């Protein structure tokens, strides 16, 4: 049974318009993951989202709200603000998380075989 149903919050559908961005934070333990999520997502929703869509077994979720940066755009004192976001730190129950290698090195043997 899901955590939301246990607390009486009802059923909530997870739609693909909730962007979840994987952050590469160097000081995390091997079983921890850092994600950038929408500010409206709470800990229960983040846990359910990762368990149901990505199949990760989550042990603990902690969050941090981050205010967007402010920049002065011109000399009249007008400020431009970037959007706020939330950072979620997940601790996995089992296994370790390895950051995916987006640009793997090609072996010389593989390039010769493909020709």
């Amino acid at each position: 049974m899901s955590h939301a149903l246990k607390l009486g919050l009802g059923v909530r559908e997870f739609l693909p318009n909730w962007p979840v961005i994987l952050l590469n934070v160097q000081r995390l333990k091997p079983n921890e993951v850092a994600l950038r999520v929408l500010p409206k997502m709470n800990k229960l929703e983040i846990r359910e989202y990762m368990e149901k869509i990505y199949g990760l077994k989550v042990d603990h979720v902690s969050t941090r709200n981050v205010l967007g940066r402010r920049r002065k755009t011109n000399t009249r004192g007008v400020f431009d603000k970037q959007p706020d976001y939330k950072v979620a730190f997940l601790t996995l129950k089992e296994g370790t998380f390895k950051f995916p290698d987006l640009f793997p090195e090609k072996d010389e043997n593989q390039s010769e075989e493909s020709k």
Side-chain angles (χ1 to χ4, degrees):
M1 179 179 268
S2 72
H3 298 288
L5 291 177
K6 288 179 185 176
L7 296 175
L9 299 176
V11 179
R12 189 160 186 187
E13 292 186 27
F14 297 105
L15 303 174
N17 62 352
W18 286 8
V20 175
I21 300 169
L22 181 64
L23 300 176
N24 189 5
V25 180
Q26 299 295 326
R27 63 182 182 274
L28 292 178
K29 296 177 183 174
N31 65 337
E32 292 181 343
V33 182
L35 303 169
R36 181 176 173 171
V37 296
L38 293 177
K40 67 181 179 180
M41 292 178 74
N42 60 28
K43 292 179 183 181
L44 292 175
E45 292 172 345
I46 294 169
R47 178 190 300 261
E48 291 290 320
Y49 188 86
M50 298 310 289
E51 286 179 353
K52 291 190 177 187
I53 293 182
Y54 295 105
L56 293 175
K57 302 293 182 189
V58 179
D59 183 36
H60 180 71
V61 179
S62 60
T63 58
R64 180 182 69 192
N65 289 319
V66 180
L67 296 176
R69 297 170 114 191
R70 290 179 48 170
R71 294 182 285 178
K72 195 171 185 180
T73 57
N74 58 16
T75 58
R76 293 184 183 183
V78 177
F79 285 93
D80 182 25
K81 184 177 177 298
Q82 294 178 347
D84 300 337
Y85 60 94
K86 183 180 277 190
V87 177
F89 297 97
L90 307 176
T91 304
L92 303 178
K93 284 185 180 176
E94 53 193 38
T96 60
F97 182 81
K98 183 181 177 190
F99 195 77
D101 189 13
L102 299 177
F103 304 104
E105 296 292 329
K106 293 184 179 179
D107 293 337
E108 294 178 9
N109 297 335
Q110 291 179 354
S111 61
E112 290 175 4
E113 291 175 3
S114 63
K115 289 182 181 180

